[in-house]
Amino acid sequence: MEDQTQHEQAGPEVQKRIQDSFDRQGLMAHLGARMTHIGPGRVHIVLPSRPEVTQQHGYFHAGATSAIADTAGGYAAYTLFPEDTEVLTVEYKINLLAPAVGEYIEAVGTVLKAGRTLTVCQLEVFGVTAAGERKLVANGQQTLIRVKRPEQ
Amino acid sequence: MEDQTQHEQAGPEVQKRIQDSFDRQGLMAHLGARMTHIGPGRVHIVLPSRPEVTQQHGYFHAGATSAIADTAGGYAAYTLFPEDTEVLTVEYKINLLAPAVGEYIEAVGTVLKAGRTLTVCQLEVFGVTAAGERKLVANGQQTLIRVKRPEQ
Amino acid sequence: MEDQTQHEQAGPEVQKRIQDSFDRQGLMAHLGARMTHIGPGRVHIVLPSRPEVTQQHGYFHAGATSAIADTAGGYAAYTLFPEDTEVLTVEYKINLLAPAVGEYIEAVGTVLKAGRTLTVCQLEVFGVTAAGERKLVANGQQTLIRVKRPEQ
Amino acid sequence: MEDQTQHEQAGPEVQKRIQDSFDRQGLMAHLGARMTHIGPGRVHIVLPSRPEVTQQHGYFHAGATSAIADTAGGYAAYTLFPEDTEVLTVEYKINLLAPAVGEYIEAVGTVLKAGRTLTVCQLEVFGVTAAGERKLVANGQQTLIRVKRPEQ
C-alpha cells in the first residue's frame, strides 16, 4: 500500500468538518467505504471487496468505483473551501481502464485547479491486492462548484 | 410517470439474458435498484429513495445516480449484442443537473450509435415524485465495448 | 437537409449580439465557419469541406468538428443570458461517432439545462452530403459559465 | 519553457511515421501548429498566438486549444502502435481551466494506459509567455482506438 505518511494532513477543523460530512453520506456507509486520508486538496477513500459492490462478473461495479472516486474528489475540493460553504459535483468523466479487482479499491481525489466558483479535480482509483500490489483501474476528471451553505 | 407501454420490448431471449446478468450484479441488489424496461437499445432502471443511497444533504448520491445510469446504458447496448459477447463500460461522463430528489430516480440508457466494437449511449436520470412529476436530474454520455465471452 | 424554418428565431437584439461576438472570433473566420441559425437556446454553425480543416486521412479534423460544436453550444447558451454578461466554456466531452465527411458539417448546440451560473448544452455535429443526406458524426455535452462582462 | 532534453525521443522510424502523418493534417498547418517533441507515449504540439486562432475576447479559442490537445494525444498513442495501424479518436473531455493566453500554447499528450484495442491519454495544454512562464490552461482525457490500416 502507498505510504500515506508522506502526504500532508489537513488541519483538525478541516478534517473534522469533512469526516462529519462523509459520515452523513448514507451511501458510503452502505457500501462499506471509509476515508483513509484527508490532506489539503487530496482525499483517499477505500472500499473493501464484498459481493454487495460487484457487477455481473464479480469485479467491483463501475458504479461503486465511480461513487468513491466522485466522493474523494468532492472532499478534496472541500478541504480548500471556507467553512460556510458546501460542495456540489457539476460533472465528471471517468475511464474504466482495467477490471477493478483486489482486496480493496482506493480512490484518490486531487485538486488540479482551485477556483472561487469552480474547482477541477483529478480522480484515480487503484485496485490493491492482499500482497499490496497497486494498479490503476480508473482515471477521471471532475468539476465541482462551491455554494453558500443555506442558513439553518 | 412516463407511459412505458409506448416503448417496444426486446425479445424474450434478450430480456432473459439481460435480466439474468442484472441479477448477478451485487451492487444493484444492494442499492435496491430494479430494471423496469428492456427494449431494443433502451433500458430503464429505477432506484427508490432510502437513506442507504444518499449523500450528506439527503439527496440521492451522485454515485448512486451514476451507478444506475451506467448500468442502464450498459444493458441498453447489450440488448443489441450477439449472445456470445459481453459488454464493458469504457468510460462515461455525467452532468448532475439538479439535486436528485423524489420518491425514486429512473435512469434511461439509450443507444445513440451501435458499432461492431464500440457503442455510444445517452444516459438520462429523472427524479420522480410521488405525484408522478418527472424532472431531469442528470444527463450523460457513455462509451461501451463489446468483448467475446470467455470460454467456460 | 433539415428544414430550419421550423426552428424559432431569437429576437433581433440577441441575434445581433451573438453575430457580433461570432464575427470577433478569429478562428471561425479562419476555418471558414458561419452561423446559420440563432434561436433561443439553439445555434447552428456550418463548416464547408476544404483541405485546411482536414486530418491525415482527408476527413474533417476532430479539432475542427469540436471547434464548431463548442462554439455552437456556447452561443446557444449565450442566447439565454442577459446582455451584460459573457459566456465561457467550462468543459466539454465529445464522441467522434463516424468519419466526418460530406460537403459540409453542421454543428447544432442546444441548451439542455439553463441555470443562473452554469448552463449545460447538448452538442451534435452532422456530416451533410451534396445530396443533402445528414449523418450524425459527433455527439457531446458541454458545461458553460455565465460571467459578468468587465466594465469597459 | 520546459526543458525537453529530459524527455526520451522515439526511434527514427516512429518519428518519421508520425511527422509524415502530422504533415498531412491540413488543419494543423492552417492553424500554424508544429510538433516539437515525439517521445514514446508522449507528444508535444505548439501553437503560436495569432489572430487566426482566437475567440471573441482575443484569447486562444477553445477549439484551437482542443485541436492541438486532441492531436497530441492521438500521436502519443500512435507512437506505441505497430506500423500497419491507424489511430482514431473515440472521444475526449477537456476542461478549460484558465484563459488561454501567452506567446504560444503547448499541448502535451501522454499515454496513461496502452491497450491492444483502446488507449487512454492525458491531455494538458500550457500557456507560455515570452518570458517562459508556463501555466496549465486546459486538462483533459482522451480515448483512442487502434485500427488496421486499409490495404492500399
Side-chain angles (χ1 to χ4, degrees):
Chain A
M1 190 173 168
E2 192 187 8
D3 183 3
Q4 293 177 1
T5 57
Q6 58 184 290
H7 295 301
E8 193 189 345
Q9 301 286 321
E13 293 82 2
V14 169
Q15 294 220 33
K16 183 180 181 328
R17 171 160 57 99
I18 285 176
Q19 187 67 54
D20 286 353
S21 177
F22 183 90
D23 291 345
R24 287 196 303 274
Q25 293 205 346
L27 182 67
M28 289 296 108
H30 190 53
L31 294 180
R34 59 179 200 278
M35 227 168 358
T36 53
H37 176 73
I38 306 171
R42 184 177 172 114
V43 163
H44 298 194
I45 295 176
V46 157
L47 179 66
S49 177
R50 46 197 289 246
E52 287 84 354
V53 296
T54 56
Q55 37 83 292
Q56 69 275 26
H57 308 116
Y59 306 143
F60 285 90
H61 194 290
T65 304
S66 302
I68 63 166
D70 169 56
T71 306
Y75 285 127
Y78 199 33
T79 60
L80 306 182
F81 288 5
E83 213 198 329
D84 59 341
T85 59
E86 298 283 359
V87 60
L88 294 173
T89 299
V90 172
E91 61 82 39
Y92 68 87
K93 178 257 207 288
I94 192 163
N95 277 73
L96 290 318
L97 302 173
V101 290
E103 200 189 6
Y104 63 89
I105 54 174
E106 182 184 46
V108 177
T110 310
V111 173
L112 199 62
K113 165 81 192 308
R116 252 185 324 166
T117 306
L118 298 178
T119 291
V120 177
C121 285
Q122 187 188 17
L123 309 177
E124 294 166 297
V125 185
F126 300 90
V128 186
T129 65
E133 275 179 273
R134 287 168 70 83
K135 182 182 179 180
L136 187 68
V137 297
N139 198 77
Q141 202 166 304
Q142 180 191 35
T143 309
L144 303 125
I145 191 165
R146 182 203 291 191
V147 294
K148 205 80 182 158
R149 184 180 300 169
E151 306 284 338
Q152 305 280 311
Chain B
M1 189 173 168
E2 192 187 6
D3 184 0
Q4 294 176 0
T5 57
Q6 57 185 289
H7 295 301
E8 193 189 344
Q9 302 286 322
E13 293 82 3
V14 169
Q15 294 221 32
K16 182 179 180 332
R17 169 161 58 99
I18 286 177
Q19 188 67 54
D20 286 352
S21 176
F22 182 90
D23 292 344
R24 287 196 303 274
Q25 294 206 343
L27 182 68
M28 289 296 107
H30 191 54
L31 295 179
R34 61 179 197 277
M35 227 168 359
T36 54
H37 176 73
I38 306 171
R42 184 177 173 115
V43 162
H44 297 195
I45 295 175
V46 158
L47 179 65
S49 177
R50 46 196 288 243
E52 286 84 355
V53 296
T54 57
Q55 37 84 290
Q56 70 274 27
H57 308 117
Y59 305 142
F60 285 89
H61 195 291
T65 304
S66 301
I68 63 166
D70 168 56
T71 306
Y75 285 126
Y78 199 33
T79 61
L80 306 182
F81 288 6
E83 214 197 329
D84 58 342
T85 60
E86 299 283 357
V87 60
L88 294 172
T89 300
V90 172
E91 61 84 38
Y92 66 88
K93 178 257 206 289
I94 193 163
N95 276 73
L96 291 317
L97 301 172
V101 290
E103 202 191 4
Y104 63 89
I105 54 175
E106 183 184 44
V108 178
T110 310
V111 172
L112 199 61
K113 166 82 192 305
R116 251 186 324 167
T117 306
L118 298 177
T119 290
V120 177
C121 285
Q122 186 188 16
L123 310 177
E124 295 167 297
V125 185
F126 300 90
V128 187
T129 66
E133 276 179 89
R134 287 169 70 85
K135 183 183 179 179
L136 187 67
V137 298
N139 198 77
Q141 202 166 304
Q142 179 190 35
T143 309
L144 303 125
I145 191 165
R146 182 203 293 191
V147 294
K148 206 79 183 159
R149 184 179 301 166
E151 304 285 337
Q152 303 282 310
Chain C
M1 190 173 168
E2 191 186 9
D3 184 2
Q4 294 177 1
T5 58
Q6 58 184 288
H7 295 301
E8 193 188 344
Q9 301 287 321
E13 293 82 2
V14 169
Q15 293 220 32
K16 183 181 180 329
R17 170 159 59 97
I18 285 175
Q19 188 67 54
D20 287 353
S21 177
F22 183 90
D23 291 344
R24 286 196 303 275
Q25 293 205 345
L27 182 67
M28 289 295 109
H30 191 54
L31 295 179
R34 58 179 200 279
M35 225 168 358
T36 54
H37 176 72
I38 306 171
R42 184 176 173 115
V43 162
H44 298 194
I45 295 176
V46 158
L47 179 66
S49 178
R50 46 195 289 246
E52 286 84 354
V53 297
T54 56
Q55 37 85 291
Q56 70 274 26
H57 308 116
Y59 305 142
F60 285 90
H61 194 291
T65 304
S66 302
I68 64 166
D70 169 57
T71 306
Y75 285 127
Y78 199 33
T79 60
L80 306 182
F81 288 6
E83 213 198 329
D84 59 341
T85 59
E86 299 283 359
V87 59
L88 294 172
T89 299
V90 172
E91 61 84 37
Y92 67 88
K93 178 257 206 288
I94 193 162
N95 276 72
L96 290 318
L97 302 173
V101 290
E103 202 190 5
Y104 62 91
I105 53 174
E106 182 184 46
V108 177
T110 310
V111 172
L112 199 62
K113 165 82 192 306
R116 253 186 323 166
T117 306
L118 297 177
T119 290
V120 177
C121 284
Q122 188 188 15
L123 309 177
E124 295 167 296
V125 185
F126 300 90
V128 187
T129 66
E133 276 179 89
R134 288 168 71 84
K135 183 182 179 181
L136 187 67
V137 297
N139 199 77
Q141 202 166 304
Q142 179 191 36
T143 310
L144 303 125
I145 191 166
R146 182 203 292 191
V147 294
K148 206 79 183 158
R149 185 180 300 166
E151 305 284 338
Q152 304 282 309
Chain D
M1 190 173 167
E2 192 187 6
D3 184 0
Q4 294 176 1
T5 57
Q6 57 184 290
H7 295 301
E8 193 190 343
Q9 302 287 320
E13 293 82 2
V14 170
Q15 293 220 32
K16 183 179 180 329
R17 170 161 57 100
I18 285 177
Q19 188 66 54
D20 286 351
S21 177
F22 182 90
D23 291 345
R24 287 196 303 273
Q25 294 205 343
L27 182 67
M28 289 296 107
H30 190 53
L31 294 179
R34 60 179 198 277
M35 227 169 357
T36 54
H37 176 73
I38 306 171
R42 184 177 172 114
V43 162
H44 297 194
I45 295 175
V46 157
L47 179 66
S49 178
R50 45 196 291 243
E52 287 83 355
V53 296
T54 57
Q55 37 85 289
Q56 70 274 26
H57 308 116
Y59 306 143
F60 284 90
H61 194 291
T65 304
S66 302
I68 63 166
D70 168 56
T71 306
Y75 285 126
Y78 199 33
T79 61
L80 306 182
F81 288 6
E83 214 198 328
D84 59 342
T85 59
E86 299 283 358
V87 59
L88 294 173
T89 299
V90 171
E91 61 83 38
Y92 66 89
K93 178 257 205 289
I94 192 162
N95 276 72
L96 291 317
L97 302 172
V101 290
E103 201 190 6
Y104 63 90
I105 54 175
E106 182 184 46
V108 177
T110 310
V111 172
L112 199 62
K113 165 82 191 305
R116 253 185 324 166
T117 306
L118 298 177
T119 291
V120 177
C121 285
Q122 186 188 18
L123 310 177
E124 295 167 297
V125 185
F126 300 90
V128 186
T129 65
E133 276 180 89
R134 288 169 69 84
K135 182 182 178 179
L136 187 67
V137 297
N139 198 78
Q141 202 165 305
Q142 180 191 35
T143 309
L144 303 125
I145 191 165
R146 181 203 292 191
V147 293
K148 205 81 181 157
R149 185 179 300 167
E151 305 285 338
Q152 303 281 311

